[in-house]
């Protein structure tokens, strides 16, 4: 059966640029002034962000200046995320942190806890690679097992974790099989980010009460995908309201 995708928000694009457009729109609407990106890679997300303070961290030597000479940028290219956090002044808080570096549960967890140490009181943490579609997707060259940390975080964080999916393009027809939409020429149709919105009261207890050894296999995730992805999905305006009213 040929169908059209069910929702669209063209301001975020319909390809891999949507991460940056989405984050930049959040920054603009929330009047955020600082942005940290862990894992710049080719700069696809980075180049979409307009923010007074942009900090980029990547283990590869990325020449950020060639991308955006007018940006105010603190460069940490060629640095591991652990090294960056060890050198960063924890008094210099960040409003928006995007975690997209090494796609391993252990490292994503380390990046997350290091991030919340420097997160501003109004800030948010955004995580990529939380919604692999099959076992190919959990290979190290793809999303790895970053999803396993997302599951663990959701189980530890009450109502602090939400998801936002890449808007679908209704101009791209597709098929509906096995309960999912499969769009032609639209390989990232299930591309999803997780958003951690710290609650003032709950946030202080997260590190104290966190259960670190929850075992979440891909089979478990696939069987409970609704709990961790679909049921937490919000639209953009709802997300703005949640962040403003936290």
């Amino acid at each position: 059966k040929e169908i059209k995708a069910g929702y669209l928000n063209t301001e975020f694009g319909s390809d891999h640029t949507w991460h940056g457009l989405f984050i930049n729109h959040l920054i603009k609407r929330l009047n955020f002034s600082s942005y940290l990106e862990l894992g710049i890679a080719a700069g696809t997300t980075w180049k979409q962000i307009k923010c007074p303070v942009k900090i980029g961290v990547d283990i590869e030597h990325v020449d950020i200046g060639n991308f955006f000479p007018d940006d105010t940028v603190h460069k940490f290219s060629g640095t591991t995320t652990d090294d960056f956090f060890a050198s960063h002044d924890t008094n210099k808080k960040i409003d928006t942190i995007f975690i997209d570096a090494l796609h391993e549960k252990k490292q994503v967890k380390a990046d997350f806890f290091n991030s919340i140490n420097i997160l501003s009181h109004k800030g948010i943490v955004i995580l990529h690679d939380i919604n692999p579609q099959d076992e190919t997707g959990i290979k190290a060259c793809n999303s790895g097992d970053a999803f396993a940390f997302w599951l663990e975080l959701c189980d530890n964080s009450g109502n602090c974790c939400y998801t936002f999916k890449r808007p679908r393009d209704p101009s791209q027809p597709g098929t509906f099989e096995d309960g999912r939409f499969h769009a032609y020429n639209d390989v990232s149709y299930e591309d999803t980010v997780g958003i951690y919105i710290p609650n003032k009261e709950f946030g202080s207890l997260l590190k104290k009460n966190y259960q670190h050894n929850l075992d979440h296999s891909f089979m478990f995730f696939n069987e409970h995908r609704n709990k961790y992805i679909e049921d937490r999905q919000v639209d953009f305006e709802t997300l703005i309201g949640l962040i403003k009213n936290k």
Side-chain angles (χ1 to χ4, degrees):
K1 181 181 178 181
E2 185 148 302
I3 63 172
K4 301 284 186 178
Y7 49 89
L8 171 71
N9 195 330
T10 54
E11 64 189 329
F12 300 138
S14 59
D15 57 20
H16 288 294
T17 64
W18 83 267
H19 303 127
L21 296 171
F22 163 70
I23 294 171
N24 191 63
H25 205 47
L26 279 177
I27 289 171
K28 182 177 180 181
R29 285 285 300 274
L30 296 165
N31 295 315
F32 284 170
S33 60
S34 52
Y35 171 71
L36 168 61
E37 182 171 323
L38 304 178
I40 300 172
T44 304
T45 298
W46 178 267
K47 68 183 179 181
Q48 306 292 335
I49 307 299
K50 303 298 180 185
C51 195
V53 176
K54 291 173 63 176
I55 305 174
V57 181
D58 201 289
I59 197 168
E60 301 293 336
H61 288 277
V62 181
D63 192 347
I64 302 172
N66 285 346
F67 287 142
F68 324 104
D70 295 330
D71 283 343
T72 300
V73 178
H74 297 273
K75 302 178 184 179
F76 288 90
S77 175
T79 302
T80 68
T81 55
D82 289 340
D83 289 342
F84 163 75
F85 285 114
S87 67
H88 185 78
D89 182 352
T90 56
N91 292 314
K92 295 181 178 179
K93 303 300 184 182
I94 306 295
D95 295 328
T96 310
I97 302 176
F98 182 41
I99 299 177
D100 191 21
L102 187 61
H103 301 159
E104 293 180 358
K105 177 185 176 181
K106 181 179 179 181
Q107 188 59 53
V108 175
K109 180 187 292 187
D111 288 342
F112 174 80
F113 280 104
N114 282 326
S115 292
I116 62 175
N117 283 338
I118 64 170
L119 192 66
S120 71
H121 71 279
K122 61 182 179 179
I124 57 173
V125 178
I126 302 172
L127 301 96
H128 192 217
D129 300 290
I130 65 166
N131 191 23
Q133 294 302 293
D134 50 38
E135 293 194 1
T136 299
I138 64 174
K139 291 182 178 180
C141 60
N142 295 320
S143 294
D145 63 349
F147 76 91
F149 172 69
W150 176 250
L151 271 60
E152 192 175 276
L153 181 62
C154 290
D155 286 342
N156 276 281
S157 301
N159 295 321
C160 295
C161 295
Y162 300 88
T163 63
F164 189 90
K165 286 191 176 184
R166 186 195 66 78
R168 296 174 179 173
D169 185 349
S171 69
Q172 295 289 336
T175 59
F176 193 83
E177 298 175 359
D178 303 322
R180 291 183 185 169
F181 177 78
H182 300 262
Y184 303 142
N185 303 317
D186 191 6
V187 297
S188 61
Y189 69 96
E190 289 294 345
D191 193 4
T192 308
V193 293
I195 303 99
Y196 174 75
I197 307 173
N199 177 287
K200 290 180 180 178
E201 295 179 359
F202 186 83
S204 61
L205 299 175
L206 178 61
K207 293 178 71 175
K208 179 180 178 181
N209 298 331
Y210 195 90
Q211 298 182 51
H212 287 273
N213 297 314
L214 300 178
D215 182 14
H216 291 124
S217 66
F218 178 75
M219 181 179 294
F220 175 88
F221 170 58
N222 208 30
E223 291 174 353
H224 299 86
R225 192 181 298 269
N226 284 349
K227 175 183 176 181
Y228 295 102
I229 302 296
E230 309 299 340
D231 294 349
R232 297 174 183 273
Q233 186 175 351
V234 293
D235 61 40
F236 188 77
E237 292 303 322
T238 299
L239 181 60
I240 291 292
L242 288 167
I243 298 169
K244 285 184 175 181
N245 297 319
K246 68 174 183 174

